[in-house]
Amino acid sequence: MKRWLYILCMLLPALLLVSCGTYNSIHHKPVTQGYNNTAPVVVKKDSIATTGNNFLLQNKYGLWEMYAEGDPLQLGLVTGALSQQLVIKQEKLFLDKVKEIVPSKFKQKLLRQFLKWYNRKLYLHVTEEYKTTIYGLSQYVSHDYDDVAPPYLRSLYLHAAHDIGHALNDLALVGCTSFAAWDKNTEDGSLLIARNLDFYAGDEFAQNKIVSFVKPDAGYPFMSVTWGGMIGALSGMNTKGITVTLNSGKSDMPLIAKTPISLLAREILQYAANIDEAVAIAKKREVFVSESIMVGSAADHKAVLIEVSPNKFGVYDAPNTTQLICSNHFQSDSYKDDNNNNDAIENSHSAYRYERMTQLLDENGKMDPVKAAAVMRNTEGLNNRALGYGNEKAINQLLAHHSVIFKPEQGLVWVSANPYQLGAYVAYDLNAIFGESHKNISASVAVDSLLIPEDPFVYSQQYKDYEQYRVEDRFVDTAINNDTSLPTGFIEKYQKLNPNFWLVYYKAGVYNYNRGYYTAARIEFEKALTREITTLPGKQKTEEYLKKINRKLN
C-alpha cells in the first residue's frame, strides 16, 4: 500500500497538468435510446423478489440466486432493482475498506484524482452494450459516495478495481489455482474443470455471493459467480458449454486503464461457442494487466489457457495430455523469455502450487466432481507436508471468495457456499434453468440431489483455532506497526493456534526484534526457517533478520 501511495504522490504534478484530459471521460453518456427503459417493479413474497421472469432469492446454503433477462439496459435495471441492497452493501464494504487503508482526507482526495486520471480512457475500452448495462445498474447505487465519482462513473470504475489493485499493489501473487481434465483423466471421460478464486476483500465482502443467471437478448445465456454491483465474470459457464476462469499473472504498472479483465471474460461467456471464438474475442481487446484465462469448451472437448497482458498474447494448448493446470504464471511460448513471468516462477508460490496440483491429480486418478471438491479443499503441501493454515502455497488458502466445479458437456456447475470452499458445493443445471420460465418461482433452482456436502474440517477444532488465529493475527500486526506491547503469554497462545505456519514465528521475531529482544527474536526466526515459507523473498527476509541479529549480538 505504501508503494502505490508513493506512486500517487509522484504523479500529482502530472495529474494537475493533464486534468483537462479527463473531460471526455467524465462527461461520457452511455447509449440508452432504443432500449426498454421501464423501471422494474419488484414484488417480494416469501423472501423471493421478482419482477416479470426475473428473480432474486437466498437459498438454504446462504448463496444468492439471481436470474435476469432482457436487453442491455433492462439487464442493468433489473439486476439493480432486484439486488439493490446487496449492491449498496458491497460498494460500502469496498469503499470503506479503501478509507480504512487510506485514512488521510488529503490522500483520499489524491486517490480520487488519480482514479479519475487513470480511468480517463476506460470508457473507450468497454463495449457500448456493457456500458449501458452498468448505467442501468448504477441507478440503484447509494449516493453516499458521490464525492468519489457520480453513480455511473463510480460503477464503471469499480469494474476496473480488480485490475487497478493488481497493477498498483502487485496482486499477481494472489494464489488462484485451477485445473481441467478430460478423457482418461475423468471418471466418465467428459470434461471437468475446477477452480478456487482466492480473491480477498474482507470477510464481509465474501458473505453475499451471487450465483447469477443471465439471459441476454444477444448472445448465449450464461451463469457466473459474482457480487452486488458486478456485471463482469470471474468464474462462469454458458449454455454452449464454454467456461471461463481467471488467474492473475505478474504485471508491470500500466499508466492507463483499458479493458477490465472481468468484462472480457463476460464477453467470452456471452458470445463464444468454442475455443476459436473465445480466442478471437480476447485478441480484439486491449487489457492493462496480465491474466491467464482458462477456457473450457464442450464443443472442443478440452480446455486451453488464453494468456493476455498489455504487450503480449499467447494460447497454451497442453500438448499430448488430457489435463491442464493453471496457477499464476504463464505457460505459452509467448512468455518463455518474459521477465515478469520468470520472476513469478522464481519468487512467488505459483510454481509450488502447480506442482502440488499435479501431485494431487496423479494421486486421485480419474476425477469426478466429489474428488475435484476434495482437491480444491486441500490445505497440505507437497508430499502432504503440513503448511500451516492460510499458507499461500496451499491449493486451499482458506481465504477464497468462491470455488466452482464445471461439467460443460452436461451443463452442470457446482458453487461453494461459505466459509471459503468448505461449505457445500451447490449444484445447478443450466439446461433446466434457461429452459423454463421463472414467472412463478417459489424455491431455489439448485439441484439438491447433486449437492456435494460441506467439508467435515469446518467442524474441527483446527478450523476453530484457525479462525481465532486470524483474529489474534490482527493484534500482532497492530502491535508491530504501532510499536505497542502485547500481553504476557500472548505470543505463545497465538502460535499454538496455527503451529505449522511460518508467519506466526516470523511475526514473533519481528515483534521481539523491534523491542530489542534479539536473542528471543533469533529463536523465532530460526523456527520460521524450519517451516514452509511462502516465497523466496519471505525466506530471504527471514535470513536477513538473522544476519542483523548475529551482528548485534557478536
Side-chain angles (χ1 to χ4, degrees):
M1 187 55 61
K2 288 180 180 178
R3 174 188 169 195
W4 67 259
L5 285 177
Y6 172 78
I7 292 169
L8 294 186
C9 291
M10 293 298 99
L11 285 173
L12 181 56
L15 298 184
L16 295 174
L17 287 172
V18 302
S19 60
C20 58
T22 65
Y23 180 88
N24 289 338
S25 171
I26 293 169
H27 293 87
H28 169 75
K29 300 292 183 185
V31 175
T32 57
Q33 288 184 338
Y35 295 125
N36 181 0
N37 63 1
T38 304
V41 177
V42 176
V43 178
K44 293 186 179 180
K45 182 180 178 182
D46 299 329
S47 74
I48 299 175
T50 62
T51 176
N53 285 335
N54 311 286
F55 69 85
L56 175 74
L57 62 85
Q58 189 173 30
N59 66 30
K60 59 186 176 182
Y61 303 103
L63 294 175
W64 290 92
E65 298 171 7
M66 182 166 61
Y67 176 91
E69 60 183 34
D71 65 33
L73 183 57
Q74 270 297 298
L75 283 177
L77 292 170
V78 164
T79 299
L82 286 172
S83 62
Q84 184 174 25
Q85 294 308 310
L86 296 177
V87 171
I88 291 172
K89 182 173 183 179
Q90 294 304 107
E91 183 179 40
K92 182 178 189 304
L93 288 170
F94 188 85
L95 293 177
D96 284 357
K97 189 73 175 177
V98 173
K99 287 184 177 180
E100 178 187 325
I101 295 169
V102 189
S104 162
K105 295 289 186 183
F106 170 75
K107 289 178 180 177
Q108 288 174 16
K109 185 176 180 180
L110 185 62
L111 179 59
R112 289 195 295 270
Q113 288 297 111
F114 170 77
L115 290 174
K116 192 186 301 180
W117 174 78
Y118 193 85
N119 288 310
R120 66 195 183 278
K121 300 291 186 182
L122 178 61
Y123 75 104
L124 297 175
H125 293 273
V126 177
T127 65
E128 292 298 332
E129 175 183 359
Y130 294 154
K131 284 186 289 189
T132 299
T133 300
I134 291 169
Y135 174 80
L137 179 63
S138 73
Q139 305 308 296
Y140 296 89
V141 303
S142 167
H143 289 286
D144 291 346
Y145 300 97
D146 286 359
D147 61 322
V148 175
Y152 164 65
L153 279 180
R154 198 165 73 244
S155 297
L156 186 63
Y157 291 172
L158 285 173
H159 281 81
H162 164 80
D163 308 66
I164 293 171
H166 178 165
L168 293 182
N169 221 25
D170 200 16
L171 295 182
L173 301 186
V174 173
C176 303
T177 316
S178 56
F179 79 85
W182 58 97
D183 288 345
K184 67 179 182 180
N185 287 94
T186 59
E187 200 66 52
D188 61 1
S190 63
L191 179 61
L192 178 79
I193 296 163
R195 76 93 102 251
N196 288 341
L197 178 69
D198 292 317
F199 169 76
Y200 183 75
D203 291 346
E204 284 189 275
F205 192 87
Q207 283 177 0
N208 292 300
K209 291 192 274 271
I210 300 175
V211 185
S212 174
F213 304 96
V214 179
K215 190 175 184 180
D217 278 3
Y220 306 112
F222 64 92
M223 67 75 58
S224 68
V225 187
T226 185
W227 52 81
M230 171 73 152
I231 73 158
L234 300 174
S235 307
M237 179 168 72
N238 71 18
T239 53
K240 288 293 183 179
I242 285 289
T243 68
V244 169
T245 61
L246 303 178
N247 285 41
S248 60
K250 189 171 176 60
S251 292
D252 287 325
M253 192 196 82
L255 294 177
I256 192 167
K258 294 184 179 179
T259 306
I261 200 71
S262 69
L263 294 181
L264 170 56
R266 173 175 173 144
E267 188 175 3
I268 291 172
L269 284 177
Q270 189 173 341
Y271 289 105
N274 55 50
I275 288 171
D276 286 345
E277 291 178 0
V279 171
I281 290 169
K283 279 184 175 178
K284 285 193 304 184
R285 305 299 173 204
E286 291 184 76
V287 299
F288 61 109
V289 294
S290 301
E291 204 87 19
S292 288
I293 307 172
M294 180 181 281
V295 175
S297 170
D300 298 285
H301 188 61
K302 67 176 182 179
V304 301
L305 298 177
I306 302 175
E307 298 176 337
V308 299
S309 68
N311 300 311
K312 295 179 183 177
F313 185 94
V315 177
Y316 181 69
D317 188 348
N320 305 315
T321 185
T322 55
Q323 76 178 26
L324 179 66
I325 296 170
C326 183
S327 51
N328 295 100
H329 61 273
F330 294 140
Q331 301 175 56
S332 67
D333 289 342
S334 299
Y335 295 88
K336 190 179 295 182
D337 299 316
D338 185 87
N339 290 333
N340 278 332
N341 194 47
N342 291 336
D343 181 65
I345 293 170
E346 181 180 358
N347 292 309
S348 80
H349 37 74
S350 181
Y352 187 99
R353 280 182 288 106
Y354 185 98
E355 188 177 351
R356 176 57 175 161
M357 179 62 82
T358 303
Q359 191 177 73
L360 287 170
L361 294 181
D362 288 345
E363 290 173 1
N364 279 276
K366 294 180 182 293
M367 297 300 296
D368 61 28
V370 173
K371 286 183 179 179
V375 167
M376 304 319 285
R377 288 166 168 169
N378 189 279
T379 59
E380 297 171 323
L382 287 169
N383 303 315
N384 301 320
R385 181 179 183 181
L387 296 175
Y389 298 119
N391 194 316
E392 291 168 303
K393 281 188 169 178
I395 303 301
N396 174 12
Q397 301 171 23
L398 291 171
L399 56 69
H401 180 272
H402 66 262
S403 181
V404 291
I405 301 167
F406 298 113
K407 292 197 75 176
E409 290 153 349
Q410 291 78 14
L412 296 174
V413 56
W414 287 258
V415 180
S416 68
N418 287 332
Y420 319 116
Q421 59 273 68
L422 301 180
Y425 278 83
V426 183
Y428 298 94
D429 181 347
L430 267 59
N431 297 311
I433 291 168
F434 289 115
E436 60 186 56
S437 167
H438 301 289
K439 186 161 284 188
N440 298 311
I441 186 80
S442 61
S444 166
V445 293
V447 184
D448 286 342
S449 62
L450 295 176
L451 182 84
I452 300 173
E454 67 270 29
D455 191 333
F457 174 66
V458 80
Y459 301 109
S460 69
Q461 186 60 48
Q462 291 96 324
Y463 175 72
K464 292 176 184 175
D465 287 346
Y466 171 71
E467 288 297 297
Q468 185 60 36
Y469 149 77
R470 295 179 68 229
V471 174
E472 306 295 352
D473 192 52
R474 297 184 190 109
F475 285 112
V476 175
D477 286 343
T478 299
I480 291 172
N481 294 333
N482 298 336
D483 195 24
T484 55
S485 298
L486 291 167
T488 302
F490 184 94
I491 290 288
E492 290 79 3
K493 291 178 183 177
Y494 161 71
Q495 292 174 333
K496 286 179 181 177
L497 293 171
N498 201 359
N500 294 310
F501 195 23
W502 76 282
L503 265 180
V504 298
Y505 306 104
Y506 175 82
K507 289 184 179 182
V510 173
Y511 173 79
N512 283 314
Y513 180 90
N514 290 347
R515 304 186 74 76
Y517 307 145
Y518 299 123
T519 300
R522 179 163 60 187
I523 292 170
E524 299 296 348
F525 287 126
E526 287 173 345
K527 285 181 185 176
L529 287 172
T530 67
R531 270 59 176 186
E532 190 68 63
I533 296 179
T534 307
T535 63
L536 179 60
K539 183 178 181 181
Q540 291 171 339
K541 200 182 295 185
T542 306
E543 291 171 340
E544 185 60 35
Y545 266 112
L546 282 171
K547 289 178 184 176
K548 289 179 183 178
I549 290 169
N550 289 334
R551 285 196 295 267
K552 288 178 181 294
L553 293 178
N554 293 333

